[in-house]
Each structure stands twice: as C-alpha cells, then as structure tokens.
Amino acid sequence: MTRLIIAAMVALVCATSPATAQRTRVSPYIEASQVLVSDLSNGGDVLTYSTVGAGIDAQVTTRRVEVQVSYQYEHRFSYDKDLADDSMHSGLVQARAKITPELTMEGGAIATRGRSDIRGDALGTAQGNVRNSSQVYSAYVGPSLATHVGKVFANAAYRFGYTKVETPNAGTGVPAGSLPLDRYNDSKVHVATASVGVKSGNGLPVGVTASGSFTREDAGQLDQRFEGKFARGDVVLPVGRGVALAAGVGYEKIEVSQRDALLSGGLPVIDGNGRFVTDPSSPRRIAYNFDGTFWDAGVIWRPSRRTFLEARVGRRYGSMSYTGSASYQIGPGSGVQIGVYDSVETFGQQLNGSLTRLPTSFVNTTDPFGNQFSGCIFGTTGAAAGGCLNQVFASTVTSAYRSRGVTGVAVLNRGSTRIGVGGGYARRTFLTPQSVGGVSIDGTSDESIYAQLFASGDVGRNGSISTSVFGSYYNSDLAGAQGILGYGANTAYTHMFGPLGATASLGLFGFDREGDSNATAQAQALVGLRYGF
C-alpha cells in the first residue's frame, strides 16, 4: 500500500515535469529513528522504540504547472507490550495545471492525524501511546473555467472530494461516564459553482454578478445526506480610489438528513470500530432544513495590488452573519492572510474545502514528532501565506454543524530563514435530529482557540535548526465535558553529510483538563538518520 502511494506521487510529479520546467525537485528518501518518551505526570514511565519510514519531497514549477508533494510513511517497532506497534501516513499534495489559458485543473490530498472526540485528550504529538487520535485522509480534484464573452466574465468550477477517518487508536480518553458519540467514517462530496457578471465601468457605473452553487454530500455513517443550493446577485459600487461598497441578496435551500441508530435497551448498538449501527427500518429524519432568503452588505478596500480587505455583515441561516477576508503581501516571500467565516457544513466538507484553499507552495517543516499537517500550514510566497486546519481537526464529528470563526496566518521567508505564525477561534453548533442513538446533541456547541509559531534557518554550511510552539483550548456544551488546554513545543537540529542527514530533536507536550488535578505531560527525544536518493 505504501509503495503504491509513493509510486502514484512520483508518477504525478513526473507527468507534470516537462523539459522546459523552471524548477524541478524530486527527493525520495528512507529513514530510521530511535525515540524516547518519558511520562512526566503518571509515575515517570519511560518508553523507547524504533521507527522506520520512507517518503518523498517533490516540487515542480513551470509556467503552466505548480505541484508540491510532501509525504511520509512511518512504522514503529516496540520493545515491550506497553507500547503498541503503529503506522502513520503524513503528507500533503497540492497541484494546479493550466490546461488552456481559460481552463485549469486542480487537485490535492492530505494525510494526517486528527482528534476523535472534543471531550478527549489533547496531546499534540504522534509519538508514544497517544489516545483520541485517528488517521485522516482527504482528497479533491476538479476543473475550473474563467473566460470572457465581450465585456461579460463567466466562471465555472466543479470539485469532487473524498474524506476517510479510521478508527481511533488507544481509545479517546473522555471522562468516565460520558455518553458515546458517533464516530466519523467517510463521505463523498460534489460541489459545482458558476457565476457571470460585468465589472464597473463596462457600460454600468456598478459591477454586477449573478452566481449559484450546488453541493451534495453522502456520508457512510447513519446514511447521512447533505444537499445545499443557492443563487445570489451582487453589486459593487466604487466610491473612491481603491474603495467600493458591496451588497448581495440571494435564496438558499439546505437540507441535512440521516437515519436513526439501531437501539438495544435504549442505547445505540456500536460496531467493532466504535461506530453506531444504522437502523435499517428507520425513516429518513431531517437534521436541518433551511429554505429562505439571505442578504449581506459591506465594504471592499484594495489600495494596491498587495493589499486587500473585504468585510460584510448580513443575515443568513435565520440570524446575523459576519464574514470577511484580508491579505497583505509584505514582500515576495512574506505576507498575511485573515479570514472570517460563517457556513453550514460537515467535517468532510470543511476539511475538503480548507484543503482547496491551501497554497501550492508550502513550508515542509519535517516535524519529527508527526504533527506537521494537522495545524497551520505556511506558504512560501507573500501572495499565498497559507492557512490553518486546527478548527477542522478539533474533532472528527459525524453531525452537520454551523461553523463560525476567524483564522489567520503570517509568514516571513527570507533566504534560508522561515517564520510562520498562525491562530484563530472556531465555534461549531450542531444540527441533528433531536435524538441520535439516544444522545441529544442538537443545538449544543463546541469551541476551540489555537495558536502556533514555527521558525527555521540554516546553521553553518550543512546544518539547519527548526522550532515549533503551539497551544490550544477546547470546550463543549456536551454533558460532562470539561475545558481542555493543550500545548507543545519541539526543536530539531539536522546536519547533512552529503545525501545522509542526521537529526536530533527534543519536545515537550501535554494537556490539562479543567477540574482535574492530574495534568498530563510528556518529554520526548529523537535521533534519526535519513538517506536521500
């Protein structure tokens, strides 16, 4: 399986690497490491084990193609029964190919670990016996068209996405007596969008746009189905140099439905993977049904090519809604991006949609403790600073939800020095039938706050050092849930001896649950060798 994945990625890079490529780099490698994990909170147990892995780092940039691949498979070998053997896939692929001047094909994929239950452990590492962690995969592909017919512009796009979550390893670490929640399985999503319009000054004093979209997602768990469609019209009125007023109104219909879980003695029947078993005789129940109009209005500010800001306020989903975005390109390799969002979606949709917005050129942090792609991902250009996935991986929930929050990243790339800062706040309000498997979570909410700092640079001719620091806070309205503060920091030094690289790394990770005096903390150390071909 691993060799098939690596071969597919190599084939993708080679297929998009014409002789006229401006930049091509393909670097497969193998590596072996020795890991030590010391429990600082529960008796001071020490675990040691070995890991063996293989991966590929590749990047292709031409006038028509942009591709970056960073993928690693790792398997660890335990020395005693206190540590289970485990495997992990970690990687990110982003690709964009311009087929014609008007037609573009895009695709991407991610493999990483995500938290299973918002109420569970919050240890930000993949080393040791980590609970409340699931292997997650997501991928998308689709074309987009941008053309003109006279003064009228026309855009259209289609995306197919797939998301899969495996069974959590070593349990979830939720408080004793907590009611079981359903575990996410997989989903397939189709998204189609289209818009037509004219810009201001092309025969009209205002810019006018008409747009629409259709989304259909089918999830494997409880036969969940999401269907959403909307149509809207927007006008943009320039009022000064680089400043315009904007307003839009539209109609939207969203329906989320699912079947009941099979019950036994009033409790849901759970299969061997910890998921609810669907009741085959259950009718389809409506989890959310919105059918009505929405509106928003705001301001657009674009004083230069490097600076953009848009802020809107309106009414959507039956209440006030606030959205916006801002970006500032400090220089060729440095910039800032901020987004404020409000939408109704699912875990699969949010992860897949967030993946499409990540840059095609990103910083490969080579985190030796395995949490590289579950947080903030930093771009290498000021025009595409990156994005954060913390709000998605707060927990791999099955239910649909209304997602609101703000996220932002800032990057500085100068020479061999790379610095990235990211963070945000997210709130999810769940939308389910009144009872799912005997557990009512409809209307409950969870929150997450997160921040991350990354820095790396060269040390001498053959050395490099990197540091990562992060923190998070999770809370939920669910009965028995407690706020959880998670944190972590690690630093790594790598020295190259030709194709052979040696790495030494130290890390500290932990979490503290409100109302529990027994905080959890781990110190970790790693030494490893990597050989590149």
Side-chain angles (χ1 to χ4, degrees):
M1 177 66 178
T2 303
R3 283 180 285 183
L4 288 175
I5 295 173
I6 295 176
M9 292 184 174
V10 172
L12 171 65
V13 173
C14 294
T16 56
S17 304
T20 58
Q22 298 172 1
R23 181 174 59 184
T24 301
R25 175 179 59 84
V26 180
S27 305
Y29 62 85
I30 56 174
E31 67 177 18
S33 302
Q34 186 70 22
V35 181
L36 181 147
V37 179
S38 177
D39 190 338
L40 303 179
S41 54
N42 297 314
D45 292 338
V46 176
L47 300 173
T48 60
Y49 57 93
S50 301
T51 69
V52 175
I56 181 172
D57 291 318
Q59 189 168 19
V60 175
T61 304
T62 75
R63 289 176 297 178
R64 299 175 62 179
V65 175
E66 297 177 14
V67 179
Q68 183 167 349
V69 177
S70 177
Y71 168 76
Q72 181 187 72
Y73 168 79
E74 178 183 279
H75 184 81
R76 66 187 189 185
F77 300 90
S78 61
Y79 298 149
D80 54 56
K81 62 182 180 180
D82 293 332
L83 182 77
D85 289 346
D86 196 11
S87 297
M88 186 176 75
H89 299 270
S90 177
L92 178 63
V93 180
Q94 288 289 81
R96 180 181 296 115
K98 190 171 285 294
I99 309 301
T100 71
E102 299 174 331
L103 179 64
T104 301
M105 182 67 71
E106 298 182 14
I110 191 171
T112 188
R113 292 289 180 101
R115 296 179 70 237
S116 300
D117 194 313
I118 194 72
R119 306 166 298 176
D121 293 358
L123 197 62
T125 175
Q127 305 299 344
N129 287 321
V130 181
R131 300 188 301 180
N132 200 31
S133 174
S134 299
Q135 181 74 57
V136 181
Y137 307 93
S138 188
Y140 75 95
V141 66
S144 62
L145 177 70
T147 187
H148 283 80
V149 180
K151 296 181 178 180
V152 178
F153 66 81
N155 301 320
Y158 167 76
R159 181 180 87 244
F160 171 75
Y162 177 74
T163 300
K164 170 66 178 178
V165 179
E166 293 186 347
T167 305
N169 61 330
T172 57
V174 300
S178 300
L179 292 173
L181 298 180
D182 200 6
R183 292 177 178 173
Y184 195 91
N185 188 1
D186 65 349
S187 72
K188 303 178 184 69
V189 60
H190 304 264
V191 181
T193 61
S195 63
V196 295
V198 293
K199 295 183 178 180
S200 60
N202 289 333
L204 293 173
V206 298
V208 179
T209 303
S211 58
S213 76
F214 174 79
T215 301
R216 170 67 182 260
E217 181 185 34
D218 293 285
Q221 197 58 11
L222 296 183
D223 196 19
Q224 187 185 87
R225 180 185 302 160
F226 181 107
E227 191 168 288
K229 46 196 171 187
F230 80 76
R232 64 176 293 160
D234 288 271
V235 294
V236 177
L237 174 64
V239 294
R241 184 180 177 86
V243 180
L245 301 178
V249 63
Y251 167 80
E252 184 169 36
K253 180 174 176 58
I254 300 176
E255 183 177 287
V256 184
S257 63
Q258 63 188 57
R259 301 189 190 280
D260 290 340
L262 185 66
L263 300 181
S264 176
L267 295 176
V269 177
I270 298 177
D271 65 15
N273 294 318
R275 299 186 176 100
F276 292 173
V277 175
T278 305
D279 185 348
S281 63
S282 167
R284 182 163 291 278
R285 300 193 184 277
I286 301 299
Y288 181 70
N289 188 8
F290 178 82
D291 187 352
T293 60
F294 63 90
W295 62 267
D296 54 54
V299 61
I300 299 174
W301 182 49
R302 192 191 293 272
S304 68
R305 292 182 180 180
R306 301 193 305 171
T307 305
F308 174 79
L309 183 146
E310 181 176 4
R312 296 200 182 205
V313 59
R315 188 169 181 82
R316 195 172 186 182
Y317 312 126
S319 65
M320 296 301 294
S321 176
Y322 307 91
T323 59
S325 63
S327 62
Y328 175 55
Q329 185 177 351
I330 302 171
S334 307
V336 179
Q337 285 186 203
I338 300 173
V340 179
Y341 57 89
D342 183 358
S343 59
V344 171
E345 52 194 332
T346 64
F347 171 79
Q349 287 184 56
Q350 189 175 23
L351 174 55
N352 215 251
S354 298
L355 183 59
T356 67
R357 293 186 289 272
L358 293 179
T360 54
S361 179
F362 52 87
V363 175
N364 183 3
T365 64
T366 318
D367 184 348
F369 294 123
N371 56 357
Q372 178 179 355
F373 297 119
S374 59
C376 295
I377 296 168
F378 304 108
T380 59
T381 67
C388 293
L389 301 177
N390 309 65
Q391 71 279 16
V392 186
F393 290 123
S395 66
T396 55
V397 295
T398 296
S399 304
Y401 50 84
R402 182 175 179 181
S403 176
R404 287 172 283 186
V406 56
T407 184
V409 295
V411 296
L412 172 66
N413 296 295
R414 291 182 179 176
S416 64
T417 301
R418 301 185 185 276
I419 299 175
V421 180
Y425 164 82
R427 179 182 179 87
R428 300 182 297 189
T429 302
F430 296 107
L431 309 167
T432 72
Q434 288 300 309
S435 178
V436 181
V439 181
S440 179
I441 65 172
D442 185 51
T444 62
S445 300
D446 63 33
E447 295 178 305
S448 56
I449 303 171
Y450 52 91
Q452 182 177 337
L453 168 67
F454 167 79
S456 68
D458 289 345
V459 179
R461 296 182 58 184
N462 300 311
S464 63
I465 190 169
S466 64
T467 298
S468 180
V469 180
F470 63 89
S472 60
Y473 177 77
Y474 306 102
N475 203 357
S476 172
D477 292 342
L478 293 172
Q482 301 163 315
I484 301 175
L485 175 66
Y487 59 88
N490 69 72
T491 186
Y493 174 76
T494 300
H495 195 90
M496 299 302 299
F497 303 91
L500 180 66
T503 297
S505 182
L506 294 173
L508 176 66
F509 304 88
F511 68 92
D512 188 3
R513 194 188 306 273
E514 290 181 358
D516 188 346
S517 59
N518 297 319
T520 297
Q522 289 183 357
Q524 302 181 2
L526 178 148
V527 291
L529 295 174
R530 173 182 292 191
Y531 185 84
F533 298 94

